[in-house]
Amino acid sequence: MSLMESLRPGIRPRKATPDETRAVARTLAAAFFDDPVIGWAWTDPERRREILPDFFALWVVGCMEYGEVYTTRDLAGAALWMPPHVQEAFDERSDEFAADVERVTSEFAPAVMELLTLLDDHHPHEPHFYLPIMGTRPEHQGHGIGAALLDTVLEQCDRKEMPAYLEATSTRNQALYARHGFHTIGELPLPGGPALHAMWRSPAGHRPTGP
């Protein structure tokens, strides 16, 4: 059975359009509101609720520029991907992006920048597809949306014989990614907080390796 054949009936991921940027950002804000890593960085729930849509909008805009924002018909879930060439372009604009993050995250900027620096310091150098963010609205979780969003791009990875990389923010997410061929290559602990799980996936037909 191929990846696409394994998708649940009725879930057909598609590329989001620029006019859906805010809607996709709101979906991701809802998906990550109770995430342990997000809770570590944004300690005040009310301010977290206010800030997260703007924070995720920065990521959506960045990935939208290269047509790598995937969602579903009802915008119940979303996945933001960066192909190898996009990551290089994104790195060149890192200072500009950091300034936008600091502006949007306000009083939580020091913690958020510490989180992003941790991810950047441990990011693999080998060419790969990168999944920085994927989430499903809480009321739609457990129905195969995440799996469908993953499979849409992982099929491309297999076809192009390109590995994929991500950082899981919870054990539940880690289990989902493991079922799709990712294996944990390291733990990225936050000071006084949870650890992220760095995960790598070799293309189908290749022996699992790490960067």
Side-chain angles (χ1 to χ4, degrees):
M1 179 182 294
S2 70
L3 283 173
M4 294 305 292
E5 289 173 338
S6 69
L7 297 184
R8 288 176 178 268
I11 303 175
R12 289 181 170 78
R14 62 179 177 84
K15 289 192 175 183
T17 59
D19 63 345
E20 293 175 320
T21 294
R22 293 300 303 180
V24 170
R26 288 193 294 270
T27 288
L28 292 172
F32 281 91
F33 185 80
D34 291 322
D35 181 87
V37 171
I38 293 297
W40 174 87
W42 283 269
T43 53
D44 184 318
E46 290 306 314
R47 289 289 286 143
R48 188 191 316 159
R49 195 180 306 278
E50 294 171 0
I51 293 173
L52 281 185
D54 290 335
F55 172 72
F56 283 116
L58 294 176
W59 289 91
V60 175
V61 169
C63 294
M64 186 77 73
E65 183 176 346
Y66 301 97
E68 294 298 330
V69 177
Y70 296 84
T71 187
T72 57
R73 178 183 55 80
D74 56 359
L75 296 167
L80 314 183
W81 285 89
M82 292 184 181
H85 72 282
V86 171
Q87 294 170 55
E88 295 176 2
F90 197 82
D91 287 343
E92 294 174 358
R93 297 158 50 186
S94 59
D95 290 344
E96 177 184 348
F97 182 75
D100 287 338
V101 169
E102 290 183 331
R103 172 181 53 82
V104 165
T105 55
S106 189
E107 69 268 33
F108 303 103
V112 175
M113 294 309 299
E114 185 170 8
L115 166 62
L116 297 182
T117 299
L118 175 69
L119 301 185
D120 187 60
D121 287 347
H122 292 84
H123 199 95
H125 297 292
E126 179 181 334
H128 61 276
F129 277 76
Y130 177 43
L131 177 66
I133 301 170
M134 186 183 80
T136 303
R137 284 184 171 275
E139 65 271 23
H140 295 286
Q141 292 175 4
H143 298 291
I145 292 174
L149 289 168
L150 274 175
D151 286 348
T152 298
V153 174
L154 293 183
E155 185 182 63
Q156 296 181 43
C157 292
D158 292 342
R159 188 169 62 250
K160 297 176 181 179
E161 298 189 332
M162 182 68 64
Y165 174 76
L166 57 84
E167 302 100 356
T169 58
S170 69
T171 53
R172 177 178 179 176
N173 293 341
Q174 185 182 21
L176 168 65
Y177 298 133
R179 291 196 296 272
H180 285 76
F182 287 87
H183 65 281
T184 301
I185 58 174
E187 301 295 322
L188 310 179
L190 290 164
L196 294 96
H197 313 278
M199 304 188 75
W200 184 264
R201 179 187 184 273
S202 299
H206 292 245
R207 176 181 297 179
T209 59

